[in-house]
Amino acid sequence: MSIDVNSRAAQPIAPVSRAAAKKRSPMATLGRTLQYAALVTVVLTAIVPMYWIVVNAIRPDSEIAAYPPTIFPKELTFKHFIDLFEVYGFQQYLTNSLIVSSIATVVALVFGIMAAYAMSRFEFKGVRAVGELSLLAYLLPPILVLVPITQILFGNGLGDNRAALAVLYVATLLPFALWILRSYFSGLGIDTEEAAMIDGCTRFGAFIRVVLPQTLPGIASTAIFTFNAAWSEYLFASTLMTSNEKLPANPAVFLLMGHMGTESWGLLMAAALTIILPVMILFFMAQKWLVAGLTEGAVKG
Amino acid sequence: MAYLLISPALVLILVFAVYPFIVAVINSFNLVDINTGMKTPVGLENYVAIFADANTRDSFFRSISWTTSNMILQVVLGVAVAMLLNLNLKGQRIARVLVLIPYMVPAIVAALVFRFMFNDVTGVVNYVLMKVGFIDQPLNWLSDPAMMMPTLVAVNVWKYSPFFIIVVLARLQSIPKDLFEAVAIDGGGWWHRFTAVTLPSIIPVVLAGMLLRTIWTAYDFDVPYLLSNGGGPSGSAVTVPLQIRALAFDQQQLGQASALAVCTAILLTGAAYFYLRGYRKSEKASE
C-alpha cells in the first residue's frame, strides 16, 4: 500500500497528528486519563499477586491471620524462611531442582544448537522431516505421553532417578530450543562465516568466532525459557519421583501444602518466593531478549 | 557431518516423544496390568468404556468450556492490552516488562498465591470486593462447585494472556505508520483504523498463537490440578488431563487412560489442521 505524497501535503492537519498538538480538548484529556487508568489496572493485576507473596513471606503469622487484612506489613520477620530451611529442609528440594534444571538446560542447548545449526546450514535428506517432527514433538502435550513414559522409565529401573528426569526434560525441551535457534541461525547471513573460513578458520572455528557471538541474545533467551520450563515442571516430576528427598521444589511445595492448614500461609509464601526468585532475576536481567525470543517462538513456531 | 550433529536431538525426540505416543496407541487397545505391564488385547473395549463413563464425558465437556472460555478471554484481553501498551503512554516501557511477569511464574506458585488470595473466608480478594461494594457477602471461589471453573479460568487467563499481549504487541509495532495515516486522510476514525489496518495485520499472529495455546490449554494439567487441589469440590475441576491421570494412577486403568488421550489427540489434530489452513489463508491475504 502506498500513499500519494501530494494528498498528504495538501491536508497537513490529519486527525492522527491531533495528539501532538499542545492544546487538548476536554474529551481528549478524559480519553488519556482513562487510558492511564486502564494501564495502571493492567499492571496492578499482573503484579499484585507477586506483592502479596513477598509481603506475606516476610511478616509474622499474627499479621497474616489478621482480619481485615492489611496491605502493608507492620513488622518484618525472617521466621518463615528459617522454618522453611531449618525445619522443612527446603534447600534439598531447591538443590534437586537446580541440578536437574541446569543439566537439562545445558544439554538441551548443546544438542539444540548442534541440530539447529546443521538444519540451517546443510542441505541434507530428511531436513524437512526432522523439522516437522520437532514441531510435532514441541506441540505434543506431556499428559499424552505421561503413562507410557512412566511405564518405560519404571520398566527399565529408571523411576525415581534424577538423571533420568533430567534426560526426560532435555527431550521435552529440545524441540522448543531447536525450533527457536533454527530461526536465529537462518536469519544470520552465511557470508561472514564463509569469509572466516576462507581466512583459515575451520567450520567449528567459524561457528565459535562468528556465529555464536551474533546469536548470543537468541541463545540466552532460549536458555532462560528452557531453564524456566524445567524449573517449573510439575507433572513428570511429581509422577516419576517417588521418594521425597529426590523431589524438585515444585512438587515438594504441593506436599508442604497438603500437610498443612491455613495457619502456615507465611511458610508457603516463603517457599513460593524462593521458587520464583531465580526465575525473576533471570527475567529482569534478560527481559529485552526474552520478548524477542517469545515473539520469535510464537510466530514462527 | 550434518547427520552427526542432528542425531542426538533426533534420537531423544524418537525415544521420548514418538515411541511413547506409539505405546499410548497400543495401550489403548489393551488391558494393561499396572504392576507387571502385561498386555491383554481387548479391541475397542477401552474406547467403549470411556464413552460409557459419565465422569469421563463430564470431563470432556468441562474441557471444551475450559478451552473456549480461556481462548476467548485471552485473545480479547491480549489484543486490548497490547493496543493499550502501543499508545505511547508514559511508563509503558516498564509496563511492558511488568505485564509479562505472570507468564514466567510457575503454575505451583500461581496456585499457591491464588488459593491464599481467593480463600473463601480470610482471602484478600473477597475482602476488597466487599469493601468496594461489588459483592455483599464472600464468594466461595474454591469451595462452590459452580464457582470452581470460573476461578480456574480467571487464574489461567491471568497467567497466559501475556503470551498474546507480547505477540500482538510485536506485530502492532511492525505496522508502518503510513497505513494509519492513509486511513486518517481518507477520513476514517478510530474504528475504521482498527478494522482496516490493525485487525488484518494481527490476525495471522493471533491465529498462530491460538494454535499453540489451544493445544496447551486443552491439555493443561498444572493450573487446574494444583489450584483445585486435585480436582475441586465434587470433581468440578476435572478436565480431560486430570481425568487421564485419575484413570491411569487412581483407577489403574492404563488402557482407558490411553484411549482418552488418543481420542483427544485426534480431536486436537483436527482443530490444528483447520487453524493452520486459516492461518495460511490470512497470511496470504495480508501479503
Short mmCIF file of all heavy atoms in Angstrom, two decimals, chain A residues 132 135-136 139 179 298-301, chain B residues 203-204 206-212 214-215 268-284:
data_model
loop_
_atom_site.label_atom_id
_atom_site.label_comp_id
_atom_site.label_asym_id
_atom_site.label_seq_id
_atom_site.Cartn_x
_atom_site.Cartn_y
_atom_site.Cartn_z
N GLU A 132 9.69 -31.01 10.84
CA GLU A 132 8.28 -31.23 11.16
C GLU A 132 8.11 -32.13 12.38
O GLU A 132 7.22 -31.92 13.20
CB GLU A 132 7.54 -31.79 9.94
CG GLU A 132 7.10 -30.66 9.03
CD GLU A 132 6.60 -31.11 7.67
OE1 GLU A 132 6.41 -32.32 7.47
OE2 GLU A 132 6.41 -30.24 6.81
N LEU A 135 8.60 -30.04 15.37
CA LEU A 135 7.44 -29.18 15.63
C LEU A 135 6.33 -30.00 16.30
O LEU A 135 5.72 -29.56 17.27
CB LEU A 135 6.92 -28.56 14.33
CG LEU A 135 5.70 -27.65 14.49
CD1 LEU A 135 6.02 -26.46 15.39
CD2 LEU A 135 5.20 -27.14 13.14
N LEU A 136 6.10 -31.21 15.80
CA LEU A 136 5.09 -32.07 16.40
C LEU A 136 5.43 -32.39 17.85
O LEU A 136 4.58 -32.36 18.73
CB LEU A 136 4.96 -33.37 15.60
CG LEU A 136 4.08 -33.30 14.35
CD1 LEU A 136 4.01 -34.66 13.68
CD2 LEU A 136 2.67 -32.84 14.73
N LEU A 139 4.69 -29.54 20.02
CA LEU A 139 3.26 -29.37 20.31
C LEU A 139 2.70 -30.48 21.20
O LEU A 139 1.65 -30.32 21.80
CB LEU A 139 2.47 -29.34 18.99
CG LEU A 139 2.68 -28.12 18.10
CD1 LEU A 139 1.95 -28.28 16.79
CD2 LEU A 139 2.19 -26.87 18.80
N TRP A 179 13.63 -25.32 17.53
CA TRP A 179 12.77 -24.52 16.67
C TRP A 179 13.17 -23.05 16.70
O TRP A 179 13.27 -22.39 15.67
CB TRP A 179 11.32 -24.71 17.09
CG TRP A 179 10.39 -24.39 15.97
CD1 TRP A 179 9.60 -23.28 15.89
CD2 TRP A 179 10.18 -25.13 14.78
NE1 TRP A 179 8.91 -23.31 14.71
CE2 TRP A 179 9.25 -24.43 14.02
CE3 TRP A 179 10.71 -26.33 14.30
CZ2 TRP A 179 8.81 -24.89 12.78
CZ3 TRP A 179 10.27 -26.79 13.07
CH2 TRP A 179 9.33 -26.06 12.33
N ALA A 298 6.73 -17.81 19.06
CA ALA A 298 5.28 -17.88 18.92
C ALA A 298 4.87 -17.75 17.46
O ALA A 298 4.02 -18.47 16.97
CB ALA A 298 4.62 -16.78 19.73
N VAL A 299 5.49 -16.82 16.77
CA VAL A 299 5.03 -16.53 15.42
C VAL A 299 5.56 -17.55 14.43
O VAL A 299 4.86 -17.99 13.54
CB VAL A 299 5.43 -15.10 15.01
CG1 VAL A 299 4.95 -14.82 13.61
CG2 VAL A 299 4.82 -14.11 15.98
N LYS A 300 6.83 -17.92 14.65
CA LYS A 300 7.39 -18.87 13.69
C LYS A 300 7.18 -20.31 14.11
O LYS A 300 7.29 -21.21 13.31
CB LYS A 300 8.87 -18.58 13.50
CG LYS A 300 9.04 -17.23 12.86
CD LYS A 300 10.44 -16.98 12.42
CE LYS A 300 10.54 -15.62 11.76
NZ LYS A 300 11.82 -15.00 11.94
N GLY A 301 6.91 -20.53 15.41
CA GLY A 301 6.67 -21.90 15.85
C GLY A 301 5.27 -22.24 15.48
O GLY A 301 4.81 -23.25 15.31
N ILE B 203 -4.30 -10.58 12.73
CA ILE B 203 -5.00 -11.86 12.67
C ILE B 203 -4.06 -13.06 12.44
O ILE B 203 -4.18 -14.07 13.14
CB ILE B 203 -6.15 -11.83 11.62
CG1 ILE B 203 -7.36 -11.15 12.28
CG2 ILE B 203 -6.53 -13.22 11.15
CD1 ILE B 203 -8.55 -11.00 11.38
N PRO B 204 -3.07 -12.97 11.53
CA PRO B 204 -2.19 -14.14 11.37
C PRO B 204 -1.46 -14.53 12.65
O PRO B 204 -1.42 -15.72 12.98
CB PRO B 204 -1.20 -13.68 10.29
CG PRO B 204 -1.90 -12.60 9.56
CD PRO B 204 -2.78 -11.93 10.54
N VAL B 206 -2.32 -13.82 15.73
CA VAL B 206 -3.27 -14.29 16.73
C VAL B 206 -3.66 -15.74 16.45
O VAL B 206 -3.70 -16.58 17.35
CB VAL B 206 -4.53 -13.39 16.77
CG1 VAL B 206 -5.63 -14.04 17.59
CG2 VAL B 206 -4.19 -12.03 17.36
N LEU B 207 -3.89 -16.06 15.18
CA LEU B 207 -4.25 -17.44 14.82
C LEU B 207 -3.11 -18.41 15.13
O LEU B 207 -3.33 -19.48 15.68
CB LEU B 207 -4.63 -17.53 13.35
CG LEU B 207 -6.04 -17.06 13.00
CD1 LEU B 207 -6.27 -17.12 11.50
CD2 LEU B 207 -7.09 -17.91 13.72
N ALA B 208 -1.89 -18.00 14.78
CA ALA B 208 -0.74 -18.87 15.06
C ALA B 208 -0.61 -19.09 16.57
O ALA B 208 -0.39 -20.21 17.03
CB ALA B 208 0.53 -18.27 14.49
N GLY B 209 -0.76 -17.99 17.33
CA GLY B 209 -0.69 -18.11 18.79
C GLY B 209 -1.80 -18.99 19.32
O GLY B 209 -1.59 -19.78 20.24
N MET B 210 -3.00 -18.85 18.74
CA MET B 210 -4.12 -19.66 19.22
C MET B 210 -3.91 -21.13 18.95
O MET B 210 -4.32 -21.98 19.74
CB MET B 210 -5.43 -19.20 18.55
CG MET B 210 -6.03 -17.98 19.22
SD MET B 210 -7.51 -17.44 18.37
CE MET B 210 -8.71 -18.59 19.03
N LEU B 211 -3.27 -21.45 17.83
CA LEU B 211 -2.98 -22.86 17.53
C LEU B 211 -2.17 -23.48 18.66
O LEU B 211 -2.51 -24.53 19.20
CB LEU B 211 -2.22 -22.96 16.21
CG LEU B 211 -1.60 -24.31 15.89
CD1 LEU B 211 -2.67 -25.35 15.67
CD2 LEU B 211 -0.69 -24.22 14.69
N LEU B 212 -1.08 -22.79 19.03
CA LEU B 212 -0.25 -23.30 20.11
C LEU B 212 -1.01 -23.35 21.42
O LEU B 212 -1.04 -24.36 22.11
CB LEU B 212 0.99 -22.41 20.29
CG LEU B 212 1.96 -22.32 19.13
CD1 LEU B 212 3.06 -21.32 19.46
CD2 LEU B 212 2.57 -23.69 18.89
N THR B 214 -4.21 -23.22 22.15
CA THR B 214 -5.38 -24.09 22.28
C THR B 214 -4.95 -25.49 22.69
O THR B 214 -5.53 -26.09 23.60
CB THR B 214 -6.16 -24.16 20.95
OG1 THR B 214 -6.57 -22.85 20.61
CG2 THR B 214 -7.38 -25.04 21.08
N ILE B 215 -3.92 -25.98 22.02
CA ILE B 215 -3.45 -27.32 22.35
C ILE B 215 -2.99 -27.38 23.80
O ILE B 215 -3.38 -28.26 24.56
CB ILE B 215 -2.32 -27.74 21.39
CG1 ILE B 215 -2.89 -27.86 19.97
CG2 ILE B 215 -1.69 -29.04 21.83
CD1 ILE B 215 -1.86 -28.15 18.92
N LEU B 268 -7.76 -32.76 18.60
CA LEU B 268 -6.91 -31.56 18.54
C LEU B 268 -6.13 -31.48 17.24
O LEU B 268 -5.87 -30.39 16.74
CB LEU B 268 -5.96 -31.53 19.73
CG LEU B 268 -6.62 -31.01 21.00
CD1 LEU B 268 -5.61 -30.94 22.11
CD2 LEU B 268 -7.22 -29.62 20.76
N THR B 269 -5.77 -32.64 16.70
CA THR B 269 -5.09 -32.62 15.41
C THR B 269 -6.01 -32.01 14.36
O THR B 269 -5.59 -31.21 13.53
CB THR B 269 -4.68 -34.04 14.98
OG1 THR B 269 -4.08 -34.69 16.10
CG2 THR B 269 -3.71 -34.02 13.83
N GLY B 270 -7.30 -32.38 14.43
CA GLY B 270 -8.28 -31.80 13.53
C GLY B 270 -8.37 -30.29 13.70
O GLY B 270 -8.33 -29.53 12.72
N ALA B 271 -8.44 -29.85 14.96
CA ALA B 271 -8.52 -28.41 15.23
C ALA B 271 -7.27 -27.71 14.70
O ALA B 271 -7.36 -26.65 14.07
CB ALA B 271 -8.66 -28.17 16.73
N ALA B 272 -6.11 -28.32 14.92
CA ALA B 272 -4.85 -27.73 14.47
C ALA B 272 -4.84 -27.57 12.95
O ALA B 272 -4.39 -26.57 12.41
CB ALA B 272 -3.66 -28.59 14.92
N TYR B 273 -5.39 -28.58 12.29
CA TYR B 273 -5.41 -28.55 10.83
C TYR B 273 -6.22 -27.34 10.33
O TYR B 273 -5.78 -26.62 9.44
CB TYR B 273 -6.01 -29.86 10.32
CG TYR B 273 -6.27 -29.88 8.84
CD1 TYR B 273 -5.22 -30.00 7.94
CD2 TYR B 273 -7.56 -29.76 8.34
CE1 TYR B 273 -5.44 -30.00 6.58
CE2 TYR B 273 -7.80 -29.76 6.97
CZ TYR B 273 -6.74 -29.87 6.10
OH TYR B 273 -6.96 -29.87 4.75
N PHE B 274 -7.40 -27.13 10.94
CA PHE B 274 -8.23 -26.01 10.49
C PHE B 274 -7.60 -24.66 10.81
O PHE B 274 -7.66 -23.72 10.03
CB PHE B 274 -9.63 -26.12 11.09
CG PHE B 274 -10.46 -27.14 10.39
CD1 PHE B 274 -10.80 -28.33 11.02
CD2 PHE B 274 -10.87 -26.93 9.07
CE1 PHE B 274 -11.54 -29.29 10.36
CE2 PHE B 274 -11.61 -27.90 8.41
CZ PHE B 274 -11.94 -29.07 9.05
N TYR B 275 -6.96 -24.57 11.97
CA TYR B 275 -6.25 -23.35 12.32
C TYR B 275 -5.18 -23.04 11.28
O TYR B 275 -5.05 -21.93 10.79
CB TYR B 275 -5.56 -23.50 13.67
CG TYR B 275 -6.36 -23.01 14.83
CD1 TYR B 275 -6.51 -23.80 15.95
CD2 TYR B 275 -6.94 -21.74 14.83
CE1 TYR B 275 -7.24 -23.37 17.04
CE2 TYR B 275 -7.67 -21.31 15.91
CZ TYR B 275 -7.82 -22.12 17.01
OH TYR B 275 -8.52 -21.70 18.08
N LEU B 276 -4.38 -24.09 10.96
CA LEU B 276 -3.27 -23.89 10.03
C LEU B 276 -3.77 -23.41 8.69
O LEU B 276 -3.17 -22.55 8.06
CB LEU B 276 -2.48 -25.19 9.88
CG LEU B 276 -1.35 -25.39 10.87
CD1 LEU B 276 -0.63 -26.70 10.61
CD2 LEU B 276 -0.35 -24.22 10.80
N ARG B 277 -4.91 -23.99 8.26
CA ARG B 277 -5.47 -23.57 6.98
C ARG B 277 -5.88 -22.11 7.03
O ARG B 277 -5.58 -21.34 6.12
CB ARG B 277 -6.68 -24.45 6.62
CG ARG B 277 -6.36 -25.34 5.46
CD ARG B 277 -7.50 -26.19 5.02
NE ARG B 277 -8.82 -25.58 5.15
CZ ARG B 277 -9.93 -26.15 4.67
NH1 ARG B 277 -9.85 -27.31 4.07
NH2 ARG B 277 -11.09 -25.56 4.82
N GLY B 278 -6.57 -21.72 8.13
CA GLY B 278 -6.99 -20.33 8.29
C GLY B 278 -5.79 -19.40 8.37
O GLY B 278 -5.77 -18.32 7.80
N TYR B 279 -4.74 -19.88 9.06
CA TYR B 279 -3.53 -19.08 9.23
C TYR B 279 -2.87 -18.82 7.89
O TYR B 279 -2.51 -17.70 7.55
CB TYR B 279 -2.57 -19.81 10.16
CG TYR B 279 -1.20 -19.18 10.27
CD1 TYR B 279 -1.04 -17.93 10.87
CD2 TYR B 279 -0.08 -19.84 9.78
CE1 TYR B 279 0.21 -17.36 10.97
CE2 TYR B 279 1.17 -19.26 9.88
CZ TYR B 279 1.31 -18.02 10.47
OH TYR B 279 2.54 -17.46 10.56
N ARG B 280 -2.75 -19.88 7.08
CA ARG B 280 -2.10 -19.72 5.78
C ARG B 280 -2.90 -18.77 4.89
O ARG B 280 -2.33 -17.93 4.19
CB ARG B 280 -1.96 -21.09 5.09
CG ARG B 280 -1.01 -21.98 5.85
CD ARG B 280 -0.14 -22.83 4.93
NE ARG B 280 0.83 -23.56 5.73
CZ ARG B 280 0.68 -24.83 6.09
NH1 ARG B 280 -0.38 -25.52 5.71
NH2 ARG B 280 1.59 -25.42 6.82
N LYS B 281 -4.24 -18.90 4.96
CA LYS B 281 -5.10 -18.03 4.17
C LYS B 281 -4.88 -16.57 4.55
O LYS B 281 -4.70 -15.71 3.70
CB LYS B 281 -6.57 -18.39 4.41
CG LYS B 281 -7.21 -19.08 3.21
CD LYS B 281 -8.70 -19.26 3.47
CE LYS B 281 -9.24 -20.46 2.73
NZ LYS B 281 -10.49 -20.94 3.32
N SER B 282 -4.89 -16.27 5.86
CA SER B 282 -4.78 -14.89 6.30
C SER B 282 -3.37 -14.36 6.06
O SER B 282 -3.16 -13.17 5.85
CB SER B 282 -5.18 -14.74 7.76
OG SER B 282 -4.36 -15.53 8.57
N GLU B 283 -2.37 -15.25 6.11
CA GLU B 283 -1.00 -14.85 5.76
C GLU B 283 -0.96 -14.35 4.32
O GLU B 283 -0.41 -13.30 4.03
CB GLU B 283 -0.05 -16.04 5.89
CG GLU B 283 0.60 -16.21 7.22
CD GLU B 283 1.75 -15.26 7.48
OE1 GLU B 283 1.50 -14.09 7.83
OE2 GLU B 283 2.90 -15.68 7.36
N LYS B 284 -1.60 -15.14 3.46
CA LYS B 284 -1.62 -14.78 2.05
C LYS B 284 -2.35 -13.47 1.84
O LYS B 284 -1.91 -12.60 1.09
CB LYS B 284 -2.30 -15.89 1.24
CG LYS B 284 -1.31 -16.94 0.78
CD LYS B 284 -1.91 -17.80 -0.32
CE LYS B 284 -1.06 -19.03 -0.54
NZ LYS B 284 -1.81 -20.27 -0.36
#
